[in-house]
Coordinates of all heavy atoms in Angstrom, one line a residue:
M1 N 46.9 -39.7 -50.3 CA 46.6 -38.2 -50.4 C 46.1 -37.9 -51.8 O 46.6 -38.3 -52.8 CB 47.8 -37.4 -50.0 CG 47.4 -36.0 -49.6 SD 48.8 -34.9 -49.4 CE 50.1 -35.9 -48.8
V2 N 45.0 -37.1 -51.8 CA 44.4 -36.7 -53.1 C 45.1 -35.4 -53.6 O 45.2 -34.5 -52.8 CB 42.9 -36.5 -53.0 CG1 42.3 -36.0 -54.3 CG2 42.2 -37.8 -52.5
S3 N 45.6 -35.4 -54.8 CA 46.2 -34.2 -55.3 C 45.1 -33.2 -55.7 O 44.2 -33.5 -56.5 CB 47.1 -34.6 -56.5 OG 47.6 -33.4 -57.1
S4 N 45.2 -32.0 -55.2 CA 44.3 -31.0 -55.6 C 44.8 -30.1 -56.7 O 44.2 -29.2 -57.2 CB 44.0 -30.1 -54.4 OG 45.2 -29.4 -54.0
G5 N 46.0 -30.4 -57.1 CA 46.7 -29.6 -58.2 C 47.3 -28.3 -57.6 O 47.9 -27.6 -58.3
R6 N 47.3 -28.2 -56.3 CA 47.9 -27.1 -55.6 C 49.0 -27.6 -54.7 O 48.9 -28.8 -54.3 CB 46.9 -26.2 -54.9 CG 45.9 -25.6 -55.8 CD 44.9 -24.8 -55.0 NE 45.5 -23.8 -54.2 CZ 44.9 -23.1 -53.2 NH1 43.7 -23.4 -52.9 NH2 45.5 -22.2 -52.6
Y7 N 49.9 -26.8 -54.2 CA 50.9 -27.2 -53.3 C 50.2 -27.4 -51.9 O 49.4 -26.6 -51.5 CB 51.9 -26.1 -53.1 CG 52.9 -26.0 -54.2 CD1 53.0 -24.8 -54.9 CD2 53.7 -27.1 -54.5 CE1 53.9 -24.8 -56.0 CE2 54.6 -27.0 -55.6 CZ 54.7 -25.8 -56.3 OH 55.6 -25.7 -57.3
D8 N 50.5 -28.5 -51.3 CA 50.0 -28.7 -49.9 C 51.0 -28.0 -49.0 O 52.0 -27.5 -49.4 CB 49.8 -30.2 -49.5 CG 51.1 -30.9 -49.5 OD1 51.9 -30.6 -48.5 OD2 51.4 -31.7 -50.3
I9 N 50.6 -27.9 -47.7 CA 51.4 -27.1 -46.8 C 52.8 -27.6 -46.5 O 53.7 -26.8 -46.1 CB 50.6 -27.0 -45.4 CG1 51.2 -25.9 -44.6 CG2 50.6 -28.3 -44.7 CD1 50.2 -24.8 -44.2
N10 N 53.1 -28.9 -46.8 CA 54.4 -29.4 -46.6 C 55.3 -29.3 -47.9 O 56.4 -29.8 -47.8 CB 54.3 -30.9 -46.1 CG 53.6 -30.9 -44.8 OD1 54.0 -30.2 -43.9 ND2 52.7 -31.9 -44.6
S11 N 54.8 -28.8 -48.9 CA 55.5 -28.9 -50.2 C 56.4 -27.7 -50.4 O 57.2 -27.8 -51.3 CB 54.5 -29.0 -51.3 OG 53.8 -27.8 -51.5
M12 N 56.3 -26.7 -49.6 CA 57.1 -25.5 -49.9 C 58.5 -25.6 -49.3 O 58.8 -24.9 -48.4 CB 56.4 -24.2 -49.5 CG 56.8 -23.0 -50.3 SD 56.7 -23.3 -52.1 CE 55.1 -22.6 -52.5
K13 N 59.3 -26.5 -49.8 CA 60.6 -26.7 -49.3 C 61.6 -26.0 -50.1 O 61.6 -26.0 -51.3 CB 61.0 -28.2 -49.3 CG 60.0 -29.0 -48.4 CD 60.7 -29.5 -47.2 CE 59.8 -30.3 -46.3 NZ 60.5 -31.4 -45.6
Q14 N 62.5 -25.3 -49.4 CA 63.5 -24.5 -50.1 C 64.9 -24.8 -49.6 O 65.1 -25.0 -48.4 CB 63.2 -23.0 -49.9 CG 61.9 -22.6 -50.5 CD 61.9 -22.6 -52.0 OE1 62.9 -22.7 -52.7 NE2 60.7 -22.5 -52.6
K15 N 65.9 -25.0 -50.5 CA 67.2 -25.3 -50.0 C 67.9 -24.1 -49.4 O 67.8 -23.0 -49.9 CB 68.0 -25.8 -51.2 CG 67.7 -27.2 -51.7 CD 68.5 -27.6 -52.9 CE 68.1 -29.0 -53.3 NZ 68.8 -29.4 -54.6
M16 N 68.7 -24.4 -48.4 CA 69.6 -23.4 -47.8 C 70.8 -23.2 -48.7 O 71.4 -24.2 -49.1 CB 70.0 -23.8 -46.4 CG 68.9 -23.9 -45.4 SD 69.5 -24.1 -43.7 CE 69.8 -25.9 -43.7
I17 N 71.1 -22.0 -49.1 CA 72.2 -21.8 -50.0 C 73.3 -20.9 -49.4 O 74.4 -20.9 -49.9 CB 71.7 -21.1 -51.3 CG1 70.9 -19.8 -51.0 CG2 70.8 -22.0 -52.1 CD1 70.6 -19.0 -52.2
D18 N 73.0 -20.3 -48.3 CA 74.0 -19.4 -47.6 C 73.5 -19.1 -46.2 O 72.4 -19.4 -45.9 CB 74.3 -18.2 -48.4 CG 75.7 -17.6 -48.2 OD1 76.4 -18.1 -47.3 OD2 76.0 -16.6 -48.8
Y19 N 74.4 -18.5 -45.4 CA 74.0 -18.0 -44.1 C 74.5 -16.6 -43.8 O 75.5 -16.2 -44.4 CB 74.6 -19.0 -43.0 CG 74.3 -20.4 -43.2 CD1 75.2 -21.2 -43.9 CD2 73.2 -21.0 -42.6 CE1 75.0 -22.6 -44.1 CE2 73.0 -22.4 -42.8 CZ 73.9 -23.2 -43.5 OH 73.7 -24.5 -43.7
H20 N 73.9 -16.0 -42.9 CA 74.5 -14.8 -42.3 C 74.0 -14.6 -40.9 O 73.1 -15.3 -40.5 CB 74.2 -13.5 -43.1 CG 72.7 -13.2 -43.2 ND1 71.8 -13.6 -44.1 CD2 71.9 -12.4 -42.3 CE1 70.6 -13.2 -43.9 NE2 70.6 -12.5 -42.8
K21 N 74.6 -13.7 -40.1 CA 74.1 -13.5 -38.8 C 73.3 -12.2 -38.7 O 73.6 -11.2 -39.4 CB 75.3 -13.3 -37.8 CG 75.8 -14.7 -37.3 CD 76.9 -14.5 -36.3 CE 77.1 -15.8 -35.5 NZ 78.1 -15.6 -34.5
D22 N 72.2 -12.2 -37.9 CA 71.5 -11.0 -37.7 C 72.1 -10.1 -36.7 O 73.2 -10.4 -36.1 CB 70.0 -11.3 -37.4 CG 69.8 -11.9 -36.0 OD1 70.8 -11.9 -35.2 OD2 68.7 -12.2 -35.7
E23 N 71.4 -8.9 -36.4 CA 72.0 -8.0 -35.5 C 72.1 -8.4 -34.1 O 72.8 -7.9 -33.2 CB 71.3 -6.6 -35.6 CG 69.8 -6.7 -35.3 CD 69.0 -7.2 -36.5 OE1 69.5 -7.3 -37.6 OE2 67.8 -7.4 -36.3
E24 N 71.4 -9.5 -33.8 CA 71.4 -10.1 -32.4 C 72.3 -11.3 -32.4 O 72.2 -12.1 -31.4 CB 70.0 -10.5 -32.0 CG 69.1 -9.2 -31.8 CD 67.7 -9.6 -31.5 OE1 67.4 -10.8 -31.3 OE2 66.8 -8.7 -31.4
D25 N 73.1 -11.5 -33.4 CA 74.1 -12.6 -33.4 C 73.5 -14.0 -33.6 O 74.0 -15.0 -33.1 CB 75.0 -12.6 -32.2 CG 76.4 -12.8 -32.5 OD1 76.9 -12.5 -33.6 OD2 77.1 -13.4 -31.7
H26 N 72.3 -14.0 -34.1 CA 71.6 -15.3 -34.4 C 71.9 -15.7 -35.9 O 71.9 -14.8 -36.8 CB 70.1 -15.2 -34.2 CG 69.7 -15.1 -32.8 ND1 68.9 -14.2 -32.3 CD2 70.1 -15.9 -31.7 CE1 68.8 -14.3 -30.9 NE2 69.5 -15.3 -30.6
W27 N 72.1 -16.9 -36.1 CA 72.3 -17.4 -37.5 C 71.0 -17.4 -38.3 O 69.9 -17.8 -37.8 CB 72.9 -18.8 -37.5 CG 74.3 -18.7 -37.3 CD1 75.0 -19.1 -36.1 CD2 75.4 -18.3 -38.2 NE1 76.3 -18.8 -36.2 CE2 76.6 -18.4 -37.5 CE3 75.4 -17.8 -39.5 CZ2 77.8 -18.0 -38.1 CZ3 76.6 -17.5 -40.1 CH2 77.8 -17.6 -39.3
V28 N 71.1 -16.9 -39.5 CA 70.0 -16.9 -40.5 C 70.4 -17.6 -41.7 O 71.4 -17.3 -42.3 CB 69.6 -15.4 -40.8 CG1 68.4 -15.3 -41.8 CG2 69.3 -14.6 -39.5
A29 N 69.5 -18.5 -42.2 CA 69.8 -19.2 -43.4 C 69.2 -18.5 -44.6 O 68.1 -17.9 -44.4 CB 69.2 -20.6 -43.4
Q30 N 69.9 -18.4 -45.7 CA 69.3 -17.8 -46.9 C 68.9 -18.9 -47.8 O 69.7 -19.8 -48.1 CB 70.4 -17.0 -47.6 CG 70.9 -15.8 -46.7 CD 72.1 -15.0 -47.3 OE1 73.0 -14.6 -46.6 NE2 72.1 -14.9 -48.7
L31 N 67.6 -18.9 -48.1 CA 67.0 -20.0 -48.9 C 67.0 -19.7 -50.4 O 67.1 -18.5 -50.8 CB 65.6 -20.2 -48.4 CG 65.4 -20.5 -46.9 CD1 63.9 -20.7 -46.6 CD2 66.2 -21.7 -46.5
A32 N 66.9 -20.8 -51.2 CA 67.0 -20.6 -52.6 C 65.9 -19.7 -53.2 O 66.1 -19.1 -54.2 CB 66.9 -22.0 -53.3
C33 N 64.8 -19.6 -52.5 CA 63.7 -18.8 -52.9 C 63.9 -17.3 -52.7 O 63.1 -16.4 -53.1 CB 62.4 -19.2 -52.2 SG 62.5 -19.1 -50.4
G34 N 65.0 -16.9 -51.9 CA 65.2 -15.5 -51.6 C 64.8 -15.1 -50.3 O 64.9 -13.9 -49.9
H35 N 64.1 -16.0 -49.5 CA 63.7 -15.7 -48.1 C 64.8 -16.1 -47.2 O 65.6 -17.0 -47.4 CB 62.4 -16.5 -47.8 CG 61.2 -16.0 -48.6 ND1 60.4 -16.9 -49.2 CD2 60.8 -14.8 -48.8 CE1 59.4 -16.2 -49.8 NE2 59.7 -14.9 -49.6
F36 N 64.7 -15.4 -46.0 CA 65.6 -15.8 -44.9 C 64.9 -16.5 -43.8 O 63.7 -16.2 -43.6 CB 66.2 -14.5 -44.3 CG 67.1 -13.7 -45.2 CD1 67.4 -12.4 -44.9 CD2 67.6 -14.2 -46.4 CE1 68.2 -11.6 -45.8 CE2 68.3 -13.5 -47.3 CZ 68.6 -12.2 -47.0
Q37 N 65.5 -17.4 -43.1 CA 64.9 -18.1 -42.0 C 65.9 -18.3 -40.9 O 67.0 -18.8 -41.1 CB 64.3 -19.4 -42.5 CG 63.5 -20.1 -41.4 CD 62.7 -21.3 -42.0 OE1 62.6 -22.3 -41.3 NE2 62.1 -21.1 -43.2
H38 N 65.5 -17.9 -39.7 CA 66.4 -18.1 -38.5 C 66.6 -19.6 -38.3 O 65.7 -20.4 -38.4 CB 65.8 -17.6 -37.2 CG 66.1 -16.1 -37.1 ND1 65.2 -15.1 -37.4 CD2 67.2 -15.4 -36.6 CE1 65.7 -13.9 -37.1 NE2 66.9 -14.1 -36.7
V39 N 67.9 -20.0 -38.0 CA 68.2 -21.4 -37.7 C 69.0 -21.3 -36.4 O 70.1 -21.6 -36.2 CB 69.1 -22.0 -38.8 CG1 68.2 -22.4 -40.0 CG2 70.2 -21.1 -39.3
R40 N 68.2 -20.9 -35.3 CA 68.8 -20.8 -34.0 C 69.1 -22.1 -33.4 O 68.4 -23.1 -33.6 CB 67.8 -20.0 -33.1 CG 67.6 -18.6 -33.4 CD 66.7 -18.0 -32.3 NE 66.4 -16.6 -32.6 CZ 65.3 -16.2 -33.3 NH1 64.5 -17.1 -33.8 NH2 65.1 -14.9 -33.5
H41 N 70.2 -22.1 -32.6 CA 70.5 -23.2 -31.7 C 70.1 -22.7 -30.3 O 70.8 -21.9 -29.7 CB 71.9 -23.6 -31.7 CG 72.2 -24.8 -30.8 ND1 71.5 -25.9 -30.8 CD2 73.2 -24.9 -29.9 CE1 72.0 -26.8 -29.9 NE2 73.0 -26.1 -29.3
D42 N 68.9 -23.1 -29.8 CA 68.3 -22.5 -28.6 C 67.7 -23.7 -27.8 O 66.5 -23.7 -27.7 CB 67.3 -21.5 -29.0 CG 66.8 -20.7 -27.8 OD1 67.5 -20.7 -26.7 OD2 65.7 -20.1 -27.9
P43 N 68.6 -24.6 -27.3 CA 68.0 -25.7 -26.6 C 67.3 -25.3 -25.3 O 67.7 -24.3 -24.7 CB 69.3 -26.5 -26.3 CG 70.4 -25.6 -26.3 CD 70.0 -24.5 -27.3
P44 N 66.3 -26.0 -24.8 CA 65.9 -27.3 -25.4 C 64.8 -27.2 -26.5 O 64.3 -28.2 -27.0 CB 65.3 -28.0 -24.2 CG 64.7 -26.9 -23.3 CD 65.6 -25.7 -23.6
W45 N 64.4 -26.0 -26.7 CA 63.2 -25.8 -27.7 C 63.7 -26.0 -29.1 O 63.0 -26.7 -29.9 CB 62.7 -24.4 -27.6 CG 62.1 -24.1 -26.2 CD1 60.9 -24.5 -25.8 CD2 62.8 -23.5 -25.1 NE1 60.8 -24.1 -24.4 CE2 61.9 -23.5 -24.0 CE3 64.0 -22.9 -24.9 CZ2 62.2 -23.0 -22.8 CZ3 64.4 -22.4 -23.7 CH2 63.5 -22.4 -22.6
T46 N 64.8 -25.5 -29.5 CA 65.3 -25.6 -30.8 C 66.7 -26.1 -30.8 O 67.6 -25.4 -30.3 CB 65.3 -24.2 -31.6 OG1 64.0 -23.7 -31.4 CG2 65.6 -24.4 -33.0
S47 N 67.0 -27.3 -31.2 CA 68.3 -27.9 -31.1 C 68.9 -28.1 -32.5 O 68.5 -28.9 -33.2 CB 68.2 -29.3 -30.4 OG 69.5 -29.8 -30.3
R48 N 69.8 -27.2 -32.8 CA 70.5 -27.3 -34.1 C 72.0 -27.1 -33.8 O 72.6 -26.1 -34.2 CB 70.0 -26.2 -35.0 CG 68.6 -26.3 -35.5 CD 68.4 -25.3 -36.6 NE 67.0 -25.4 -37.1 CZ 66.0 -24.6 -36.7 NH1 66.3 -23.6 -35.8 NH2 64.8 -24.7 -37.3
P49 N 72.6 -28.1 -33.1 CA 74.0 -27.9 -32.8 C 74.9 -27.7 -34.0 O 76.0 -27.0 -33.9 CB 74.4 -29.2 -32.1 CG 73.3 -30.2 -32.4 CD 72.1 -29.3 -32.7
W50 N 74.4 -28.1 -35.2 CA 75.3 -28.0 -36.4 C 75.5 -26.5 -36.8 O 76.5 -26.2 -37.5 CB 74.6 -28.7 -37.6 CG 73.2 -28.3 -37.9 CD1 72.1 -28.9 -37.4 CD2 72.7 -27.2 -38.7 NE1 70.9 -28.3 -37.8 CE2 71.3 -27.2 -38.6 CE3 73.4 -26.2 -39.4 CZ2 70.5 -26.3 -39.3 CZ3 72.6 -25.3 -40.1 CH2 71.2 -25.3 -40.0
V51 N 74.5 -25.6 -36.4 CA 74.6 -24.2 -36.8 C 75.8 -23.5 -36.1 O 76.2 -22.4 -36.5 CB 73.3 -23.5 -36.6 CG1 73.1 -23.0 -35.2 CG2 73.1 -22.4 -37.6
T52 N 76.3 -24.1 -35.0 CA 77.3 -23.4 -34.2 C 78.7 -23.6 -34.8 O 79.6 -22.9 -34.3 CB 77.2 -23.9 -32.7 OG1 77.5 -25.3 -32.7 CG2 75.9 -23.7 -32.1
T53 N 78.9 -24.5 -35.7 CA 80.2 -24.7 -36.3 C 80.2 -24.4 -37.8 O 79.2 -24.7 -38.5 CB 80.7 -26.1 -36.1 OG1 79.9 -27.0 -36.8 CG2 80.7 -26.4 -34.6
A54 N 81.3 -24.0 -38.3 CA 81.4 -23.7 -39.8 C 81.2 -25.1 -40.5 O 80.6 -25.1 -41.6 CB 82.8 -23.1 -40.1
E55 N 81.8 -26.1 -40.0 CA 81.7 -27.4 -40.7 C 80.2 -27.9 -40.7 O 79.7 -28.4 -41.7 CB 82.5 -28.5 -40.0 CG 84.0 -28.3 -40.0 CD 84.5 -27.4 -38.9 OE1 83.7 -27.0 -38.1 OE2 85.7 -27.1 -38.9
G56 N 79.5 -27.7 -39.6 CA 78.1 -28.1 -39.5 C 77.3 -27.3 -40.5 O 76.4 -27.8 -41.2
R57 N 77.5 -26.0 -40.6 CA 76.8 -25.1 -41.5 C 77.0 -25.6 -43.0 O 76.1 -25.7 -43.8 CB 77.1 -23.7 -41.3 CG 76.5 -23.1 -40.0 CD 76.6 -21.6 -39.9 NE 78.0 -21.2 -40.0 CZ 78.8 -21.1 -38.9 NH1 78.4 -21.5 -37.7 NH2 80.1 -20.7 -39.1
D58 N 78.3 -25.8 -43.3 CA 78.7 -26.2 -44.6 C 77.9 -27.5 -45.0 O 77.5 -27.7 -46.1 CB 80.2 -26.4 -44.8 CG 80.9 -25.1 -45.0 OD1 80.2 -24.1 -45.2 OD2 82.1 -25.2 -45.0
S59 N 77.9 -28.4 -44.0 CA 77.3 -29.7 -44.3 C 75.8 -29.7 -44.5 O 75.2 -30.6 -45.1 CB 77.6 -30.7 -43.1 OG 76.8 -30.4 -42.0
M60 N 75.2 -28.6 -44.0 CA 73.7 -28.5 -44.2 C 73.3 -27.6 -45.4 O 72.1 -27.5 -45.7 CB 73.1 -27.8 -42.9 CG 73.2 -28.7 -41.7 SD 72.2 -30.2 -41.9 CE 70.6 -29.6 -41.5
L61 N 74.3 -27.1 -46.1 CA 74.0 -26.4 -47.4 C 73.3 -27.4 -48.3 O 73.7 -28.5 -48.5 CB 75.2 -25.8 -48.0 CG 75.8 -24.6 -47.4 CD1 77.1 -24.2 -48.1 CD2 74.9 -23.4 -47.4
G62 N 72.2 -26.9 -48.9 CA 71.4 -27.8 -49.8 C 70.3 -28.5 -49.1 O 69.4 -29.1 -49.7
F63 N 70.3 -28.5 -47.7 CA 69.2 -29.1 -46.9 C 68.0 -28.2 -47.1 O 68.1 -27.0 -47.2 CB 69.6 -29.2 -45.5 CG 68.6 -29.9 -44.6 CD1 68.6 -31.3 -44.5 CD2 67.7 -29.2 -43.8 CE1 67.7 -32.0 -43.7 CE2 66.8 -29.9 -43.0 CZ 66.8 -31.2 -43.0
E64 N 66.8 -28.9 -47.2 CA 65.6 -28.1 -47.5 C 64.8 -27.8 -46.2 O 64.6 -28.7 -45.3 CB 64.7 -28.9 -48.4 CG 65.3 -29.0 -49.8 CD 64.5 -29.8 -50.8 OE1 63.7 -30.7 -50.3 OE2 64.5 -29.5 -52.0
L65 N 64.4 -26.6 -46.0 CA 63.6 -26.2 -44.9 C 62.2 -25.8 -45.5 O 62.1 -25.4 -46.6 CB 64.1 -24.9 -44.3 CG 65.4 -25.0 -43.5 CD1 65.8 -23.6 -43.0 CD2 65.3 -26.0 -42.4
N66 N 61.2 -26.0 -44.6 CA 59.9 -25.5 -45.0 C 59.8 -24.0 -44.9 O 60.1 -23.4 -43.9 CB 58.9 -26.1 -44.0 CG 57.6 -26.6 -44.6 OD1 57.3 -26.2 -45.7 ND2 56.8 -27.3 -43.9
C67 N 59.5 -23.3 -46.0 CA 59.5 -21.9 -46.0 C 58.1 -21.3 -45.9 O 57.3 -21.4 -46.8 CB 60.1 -21.3 -47.3 SG 60.3 -19.6 -47.2
K68 N 57.8 -20.8 -44.6 CA 56.5 -20.3 -44.4 C 56.2 -19.0 -45.2 O 55.1 -18.6 -45.5 CB 56.3 -20.0 -42.9 CG 56.3 -21.2 -42.0 CD 55.9 -20.9 -40.6 CE 55.9 -22.1 -39.7 NZ 57.2 -22.6 -39.4
K69 N 57.3 -18.3 -45.5 CA 57.1 -17.0 -46.2 C 56.7 -17.3 -47.6 O 55.9 -16.5 -48.2 CB 58.4 -16.2 -46.2 CG 58.8 -15.7 -44.8 CD 60.1 -15.0 -44.8 CE 60.5 -14.6 -43.4 NZ 61.8 -14.0 -43.3
C70 N 57.1 -18.4 -48.2 CA 56.6 -18.8 -49.5 C 55.1 -19.2 -49.4 O 54.3 -18.8 -50.3 CB 57.4 -20.0 -50.1 SG 59.0 -19.6 -50.9
D71 N 54.8 -19.9 -48.4 CA 53.4 -20.3 -48.2 C 52.5 -19.0 -48.1 O 51.4 -19.0 -48.6 CB 53.2 -21.1 -46.9 CG 53.8 -22.4 -47.0 OD1 54.1 -22.9 -48.1 OD2 54.1 -23.0 -45.9
Q72 N 53.1 -17.9 -47.6 CA 52.3 -16.7 -47.4 C 52.4 -15.8 -48.7 O 51.8 -14.7 -48.7 CB 52.8 -15.9 -46.2 CG 52.5 -16.7 -44.9 CD 53.2 -16.1 -43.7 OE1 53.7 -15.0 -43.7 NE2 53.3 -16.9 -42.6
G73 N 53.3 -16.2 -49.6 CA 53.4 -15.4 -50.8 C 54.2 -14.1 -50.6 O 54.0 -13.2 -51.4
L74 N 55.1 -14.1 -49.6 CA 55.8 -12.9 -49.4 C 56.9 -12.7 -50.4 O 57.5 -13.7 -50.9 CB 56.4 -12.9 -48.0 CG 55.4 -13.1 -46.8 CD1 56.1 -13.1 -45.5 CD2 54.4 -11.9 -46.8
G75 N 57.3 -11.5 -50.6 CA 58.5 -11.1 -51.5 C 59.8 -11.5 -50.8 O 59.8 -11.8 -49.6
P76 N 60.8 -11.5 -51.6 CA 62.2 -11.9 -51.1 C 62.6 -11.0 -50.0 O 62.3 -9.8 -49.9 CB 63.1 -11.8 -52.3 CG 62.4 -11.0 -53.3 CD 60.9 -11.1 -53.0
D77 N 63.4 -11.6 -49.0 CA 64.0 -10.8 -47.9 C 65.3 -10.1 -48.4 O 65.9 -10.5 -49.3 CB 64.3 -11.7 -46.8 CG 63.1 -12.2 -46.0 OD1 62.2 -11.3 -45.8 OD2 63.0 -13.4 -45.7
H78 N 65.6 -9.0 -47.6 CA 66.9 -8.3 -47.9 C 67.6 -8.2 -46.5 O 66.9 -8.0 -45.5 CB 66.6 -7.0 -48.5 CG 65.9 -7.0 -49.8 ND1 66.5 -7.3 -51.0 CD2 64.6 -6.8 -50.1 CE1 65.6 -7.3 -51.9 NE2 64.4 -7.1 -51.4
K79 N 68.9 -8.2 -46.6 CA 69.7 -8.0 -45.4 C 69.5 -6.6 -44.9 O 69.4 -5.6 -45.6 CB 71.1 -8.2 -45.7 CG 71.5 -9.7 -45.6 CD 73.0 -9.8 -45.7 CE 73.3 -11.1 -46.6 NZ 74.8 -11.2 -46.8
Ligands
ZN101 ZN1 60.5 -18.8 -49.4

């Protein structure tokens, strides 16, 4: 891959630092960049069994997700 000096689309990875639930009882990860991202367990489309247990969520803290909001240059999310 040739470096263009800019971030490529796969480079905007942000660590999960905390979680909360939205008003529809879906889990939302809080990312290091200040953005929120849903981490639904909604099989068979989205399988994240770890999000359904406290141990699983704890074990995924620090895991990096691709943040589309960073790619779009959006400001930080608020609860
Ligand atoms: Zn972000």
Side-chain angles (χ1 to χ4, degrees):
M1 202 189 321
V2 178
S3 173
S4 63
R6 299 178 59 193
Y7 286 119
D8 69 71
I9 194 120
N10 294 316
S11 67
M12 207 49 97
K13 297 255 180 141
Q14 298 290 347
K15 287 180 180 172
M16 294 191 278
I17 55 171
D18 205 355
Y19 307 93
H20 65 267
K21 276 188 163 179
D22 70 6
E23 58 280 353
E24 293 175 7
D25 222 32
H26 289 130
W27 281 104
V28 179
Q30 298 173 217
L31 304 180
C33 57
H35 291 133
F36 298 164
Q37 187 169 138
H38 275 101
V39 283
R40 291 187 183 87
H41 180 51
D42 188 19
W45 298 278
T46 309
S47 183
R48 292 192 183 95
W50 55 267
V51 84
T52 60
T53 66
E55 293 85 5
R57 289 190 299 278
D58 278 354
S59 75
M60 291 296 279
L61 284 175
F63 185 83
E64 293 181 332
L65 293 180
N66 219 346
C67 186
K68 293 189 178 72
K69 292 175 182 175
C70 277
D71 291 340
Q72 294 166 16
L74 300 178
D77 285 319
H78 301 281
K79 275 187 220 177

